[in-house]
């Protein structure tokens, strides 16, 4: 299991290379009709997230920096695995490599 880092401010976390800092969408704990859902029904992480910050990109074999494919504010689709958790107060964020992000969600 990955170790979870804890920080006082999300601004303290600056992704390096091709890393992307995201915050997963939270599962609804209540239905539209007002019925509260048990935690067992909402435990699996949602695959959608908002990009908080991105690194400048990673160098290719020739030393040219390849920028990340997403930018802060983008909505993305994440795999069900991977990422490194980061805790800021009660909020949880994750760091993913740019290549691990499955898709950018267009609105």
């Amino acid at each position: 299991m990955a170790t979870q880092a804890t920080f006082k401010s999300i601004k303290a976390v600056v992704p390096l290379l091709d890393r992307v800092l995201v915050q997963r969408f939270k599962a609804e704990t209540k239905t539209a009709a007002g019925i509260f859902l048990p935690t067992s029904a909402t435990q699996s992480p949602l695959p959608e997230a908002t990009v908080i910050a991105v690194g400048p990109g990673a160098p290719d074999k020739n030393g040219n920096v390849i920028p990340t494919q997403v930018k802060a504010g983008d909505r993305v689709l994440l795999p069900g695995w991977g990422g490194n958790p980061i805790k800021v107060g009660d909020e949880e964020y994750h760091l993913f490599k740019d290549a691990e992000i499955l898709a950018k969600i267009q609105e």
Side-chain angles (χ1 to χ4, degrees), residues 23-30 37 42-50 87-93:
Q23 184 174 32
R24 289 184 185 268
F25 290 164
K26 291 188 172 118
E28 291 294 326
T29 56
K30 184 166 74 165
L37 299 171
T42 61
Q43 273 185 327
S44 62
L46 292 177
E48 290 182 45
T50 300
K87 193 102 168 156
V88 179
D90 291 337
E91 297 293 324
E92 188 170 297
Y93 300 85

Side-chain angles (χ1 to χ4, degrees), residues 8-82:
K8 293 184 193 265
S9 167
I10 196 60
K11 293 183 189 292
V13 182
V14 179
L16 299 177
L17 299 173
D18 62 344
R19 299 291 194 275
V20 178
L21 180 66
V22 300
Q23 184 174 32
R24 289 184 185 268
F25 290 164
K26 291 188 172 118
E28 291 294 326
T29 56
K30 184 166 74 165
T31 66
I35 298 170
F36 285 94
L37 299 171
T39 54
S40 60
T42 61
Q43 273 185 327
S44 62
L46 292 177
E48 290 182 45
T50 300
V51 175
I52 304 301
V54 298
D60 64 11
K61 62 183 178 183
N62 298 320
N64 301 317
V65 174
I66 306 298
T68 55
Q69 300 294 305
V70 295
K71 63 184 183 323
D74 284 349
R75 286 180 55 203
V76 294
L77 188 63
L78 301 173
W81 48 267

